[in-house]
Amino acid sequence: MATLTSNVYLSPQYNVPKDHHGCVVEEIAGLIRVHKDGHVERPQVLPCVTASTMNPELNVTSRDMVIDSATNTWARFYAPSCQHELPLLVYFHGGGFCVGSAAWSCYHDFLARLSAKVGCVIMSVNYRLAPENPLPAPYDDGLKALTWVKQQMLYQQHNKGSGSDSEWWTTKCNFSSVFLGGDSAGANIAYNVATRVAACDGAALRPLNLKGLILIQPFFGGEVRTGSEKCMAQSSGSALNLAASDTYWRLALPCGANRDHPWCNPLVKVKLEELKLLRTLFCISEMDILKDRNLEFCDTLVRAGKRVEYEVFEGVGHAFQILSKSQISKNRTKEMMARVKSFMTL
């Protein structure tokens, strides 16, 4: 596949508002507005940056690559300077399945630093957004991205020194050490892609070897409210409130589904004892409305015999690592990166 040369991060998902689309039927102020006729507006709340926008002190190279032109799925790669092969982290950004981009400046900065700190190649997948593309479209894009990685790996193995567009990052990767990860809705995508792969014992991806799952503030829900959802519904210290969470789920889930759909609530209608799951790290925020749901999920997985580790980061809310500039958030972000590094190097 060719390297991206155009500004594809300015994708059709960022629509120019038009008049006469009927009344607004769903809205999250400043982020998304859905009209009666299906027209979607997404104000550019955060700047998009090119892959070449990079702090030279990080010694990280970044480029964009097309995964599937038919669905406009692409990925931004981050590869630190290194003389030996590195693990690969396939990462999915957050945004409630409805907003966000791999080109958002906050993700570009966070993942460039994470790549340098952990010492890993990162593939940040830009997947299709709801409500135009409701679930399971992002899961399909995630699986497609992994299949594409396998194809690039096999091509590189059989055509070493060919000068292919992917050689600059494939030659840096240890494909026997691949991790899936993401934050918020991206963590939900990583989890559901991982369970799809594990259901067939990873046969479709061999010789790729998935070694672990990194879930940062994973976006799950349910019809019954948890304590943190009720007590922190309007928390000023977090980027996610309960009303926005409910709206994201209404826009992302299949028509007619409620928040006890397994894609939203993995504790419903799923026999966790029979679930095949990679070794998993949960990164949970103390001031996040999702805290109790994340902790309950961890506890249930542990009781089902799964290999689960978690850490609660004190004094910070949802998406602190990408959106907050406070000193405590900077400190906790460094701690999170160190925890991820420890998990990936075991």
Side-chain angles (χ1 to χ4, degrees):
M1 290 291 184
T3 303
L4 259 60
T5 56
S6 61
N7 293 334
V8 298
Y9 54 85
L10 301 177
S11 76
Q13 296 176 3
Y14 291 90
N15 298 316
V16 178
K18 298 178 181 179
D19 297 326
H20 314 301
H21 289 288
C23 62
V24 174
V25 293
E26 294 283 5
E27 181 174 12
I28 300 174
L31 289 171
I32 188 169
R33 182 182 294 122
V34 182
H35 292 260
K36 186 175 182 180
D37 69 351
H39 177 72
V40 180
E41 299 175 28
R42 293 183 180 88
Q44 187 114 5
V45 292
L46 289 166
C48 288
V49 296
T50 62
S52 60
T53 306
M54 185 65 63
N55 180 350
E57 294 181 0
L58 294 176
N59 287 320
V60 171
T61 302
S62 179
R63 296 182 195 171
D64 296 340
M65 305 287 293
V66 175
I67 295 173
D68 187 344
S69 57
T71 58
N72 196 29
T73 306
W74 56 277
R76 178 162 295 180
F77 284 82
Y78 302 86
S81 298
C82 189
Q83 300 303 313
H84 58 272
E85 291 184 339
L86 302 170
L88 171 65
L89 170 60
V90 180
Y91 193 92
F92 302 92
H93 67 77
F97 306 105
C98 299
V99 299
S101 170
W104 268 9
S105 58
C106 58
Y107 279 109
H108 183 70
D109 176 62
F110 172 67
L111 294 177
R113 289 186 291 118
L114 184 66
S115 175
K117 173 68 176 179
V118 172
C120 67
V121 176
I122 296 179
M123 173 188 184
S124 177
V125 181
N126 200 74
Y127 52 87
R128 289 172 290 173
L129 299 178
E132 301 95 324
N133 302 282
L135 297 172
Y139 305 155
D140 295 339
D141 293 344
L143 209 53
K144 177 74 174 181
L146 283 179
T147 303
W148 181 88
V149 169
K150 173 187 172 180
Q151 293 168 346
Q152 302 304 304
M153 176 199 67
L154 293 175
Y155 183 86
Q156 185 261 328
Q157 288 179 348
H158 292 97
N159 299 275
K160 289 184 179 180
S162 65
S164 70
D165 289 333
S166 291
E167 192 170 297
W168 72 274
W169 67 268
T170 55
T171 54
K172 294 177 180 285
C173 286
N174 175 4
F175 289 106
S176 65
S177 184
V178 180
F179 293 79
L180 296 180
D183 66 289
S184 194
N188 178 298
I189 295 169
Y191 172 81
N192 278 283
V193 170
T195 56
R196 280 192 184 189
V197 172
C200 60
D201 292 319
L205 293 178
R206 293 193 185 108
L208 276 187
N209 182 25
L210 299 185
K211 290 192 66 176
L213 188 57
I214 299 165
L215 307 181
I216 301 173
Q217 304 136 3
F219 186 47
F220 294 111
E223 287 297 306
V224 178
R225 304 298 192 190
T226 65
S228 59
E229 286 172 344
K230 290 185 285 189
C231 295
M232 293 190 286
Q234 299 294 331
S235 174
S236 60
S238 187
L240 181 69
N241 61 49
L242 193 59
S245 174
D246 288 352
T247 302
Y248 283 135
W249 284 119
R250 286 195 299 272
L251 294 174
L253 286 169
C255 184
N258 66 17
R259 293 192 306 274
D260 278 338
H261 189 287
W263 292 337
C264 178
N265 188 350
L267 299 183
V268 173
K269 302 176 184 177
V270 176
K271 295 181 179 179
L272 292 177
E273 293 78 8
E274 299 176 5
L275 179 71
K276 296 177 181 178
L277 188 66
L278 298 167
R279 185 171 66 96
T280 303
L281 170 66
F282 283 79
C283 295
I284 301 168
S285 294
E286 181 188 29
M287 297 171 62
D288 188 356
I289 65 168
L290 301 177
K291 180 190 73 172
D292 286 353
R293 194 170 296 280
N294 288 173
L295 288 171
E296 180 189 13
F297 193 23
C298 287
D299 181 61
T300 305
L301 288 172
V302 169
R303 285 190 281 108
K306 310 307 174 187
R307 297 170 296 168
V308 172
E309 307 170 27
Y310 75 88
E311 184 163 341
V312 178
F313 295 88
E314 297 179 355
V316 287
H318 193 79
F320 73 89
Q321 72 283 359
I322 60 164
L323 294 178
S324 178
K325 302 298 183 184
S326 69
Q327 189 56 52
I328 189 171
S329 292
K330 292 178 181 178
N331 293 341
R332 295 293 178 266
T333 299
K334 291 179 181 177
E335 294 169 9
M336 178 188 286
M337 289 183 176
R339 188 69 180 82
V340 170
K341 180 177 182 178
S342 173
F343 180 78
M344 292 181 67
T345 53
L346 285 178

